Amino acid sequence: MAQLFAGTSGWAYPTWKPDFYPEKLAQKKFLSHYTTKLNTVEVNFTFRQLVKETTIQNWMADSPAHFRFGVKAHQMITHIRRLKGTEEFLRRFLATVEPLAASGKLGPVLFQLPPNLKADPALLKDFLATLPRTVPAAFEFRHESWFEDSTWELLRSANVALCVAETETRTTPDVLTGSFAYYRYRKPTYTGEERRAMVDRIGQHLAEGRNAFAYFKHEETPQGALYAVEVLRDVNGAGT
């Protein structure tokens, strides 16, 4: 049965007390508490450093079997080499998250391109050819020149999801290109009507048999985490 995985981009925020984390909860217990309310997290620090196996083992120990860790691809791949000549480093990066994959806890790997990287279909096609088909991958394009049918067709050919990212200044077209849906809700606040629209759209994906991953923005306040809890509850309630 298709499922919604909802969460935030990170979890280690003491400023989420007391509305999300209990006031006296130690920070080393944040993840285990987080997993009692949400069923996925998007790990952003993998963008800047290769994660150690001991860290991965701690994550797995602190999370239940159904939990999924989405990870952002390293900046060496997306921002420094800008998808060119990345095959060797891509293998290194994927090897660091292999324990998550082996345990069934790996969510999508997000390849977030820099805002100044303009559409280059040949570049994307060459990179996708190096990406193992076993890796659940999503692409976030931040230059609007990518928003065209040729991009969607390349993603579909590799069964890679389009990350539908919504900010205050730009919204990615809501186009389905992979076997799962991926949303990044980056606005600081959402109205009740906007959240009901999220629930309806995600419900469509689930009804059609595909999983959906939805990540809210992490901020100094727990608002994004509370939105994720609400949307997860409402989608699951609608499906019962």
Side-chain angles (χ1 to χ4, degrees):
M1 183 178 293
Q3 188 175 354
L4 167 63
F5 293 90
T8 58
S9 301
W11 69 82
Y13 307 109
T15 52
W16 289 6
K17 295 180 178 183
D19 293 331
F20 187 83
Y21 292 127
E23 189 65 61
K24 295 185 179 180
L25 187 70
Q27 189 156 349
K28 65 180 180 180
K29 296 182 178 179
F30 278 11
L31 178 58
S32 59
H33 184 85
Y34 177 103
T35 67
T36 67
K37 297 187 174 189
L38 297 167
N39 58 2
T40 187
V41 69
E42 185 185 73
V43 180
N44 277 322
F45 79 76
T46 50
F47 177 75
R48 302 198 178 278
Q49 58 185 301
L50 295 174
V51 65
K52 297 177 181 177
E53 185 171 0
T54 52
T55 301
I56 295 274
Q57 295 299 331
N58 289 337
W59 292 351
M60 293 195 296
D62 288 344
S63 58
H66 69 271
F67 194 83
R68 297 290 181 271
F69 291 89
V71 294
K72 186 182 285 188
H74 197 282
Q75 63 180 339
M76 180 64 73
I77 300 167
T78 55
H79 286 59
I80 298 174
R81 295 188 178 168
R82 297 162 70 89
L83 303 186
K84 292 181 180 178
T86 61
E87 195 165 357
E88 182 179 343
F89 191 88
L90 177 64
R91 282 197 297 268
R92 264 184 79 193
F93 171 75
L94 293 176
T96 66
V97 296
E98 174 55 31
L100 287 175
S103 70
K105 291 186 176 183
L106 179 63
V109 177
L110 176 66
F111 295 88
Q112 183 190 61
L113 301 189
N116 62 356
L117 181 56
K118 297 179 181 180
D120 185 338
L123 174 68
L124 179 60
K125 183 178 181 179
D126 289 347
F127 178 80
L128 290 174
T130 70
L131 190 62
R133 289 296 185 109
T134 54
V135 175
F139 263 73
E140 180 181 352
F141 301 101
R142 293 191 289 169
H143 194 283
E144 292 187 0
S145 60
W146 289 99
F147 297 167
E148 57 179 36
D149 289 345
S150 61
T151 302
W152 317 147
E153 290 307 313
L154 283 171
L155 295 183
R156 288 191 183 107
S157 70
N159 192 28
V160 168
L162 173 67
C163 170
V164 180
E166 181 179 80
T167 71
E168 292 177 280
T169 58
R170 182 185 64 256
T171 299
T172 307
D174 193 346
V175 178
L176 182 69
T177 62
S179 58
F180 61 90
Y182 195 108
Y183 292 92
R184 296 186 93 223
Y185 299 118
R186 319 318 284 169
K187 288 162 60 176
T189 60
Y190 284 93
T191 66
E193 183 178 354
E194 288 172 323
R195 300 197 299 278
R196 284 190 293 273
M198 294 173 190
V199 170
D200 290 345
R201 179 61 175 142
I202 290 167
Q204 291 175 0
H205 290 302
L206 303 188
E208 293 170 5
R210 74 182 66 88
N211 289 340
F213 290 81
Y215 297 104
F216 287 85
K217 190 175 182 178
H218 58 286
E219 282 293 313
E220 288 302 305
T221 74
Q223 189 60 65
L226 299 176
Y227 284 152
V229 169
E230 177 190 301
V231 169
L232 186 62
R233 180 198 66 216
D234 289 352
V235 166
N236 288 339
T240 58

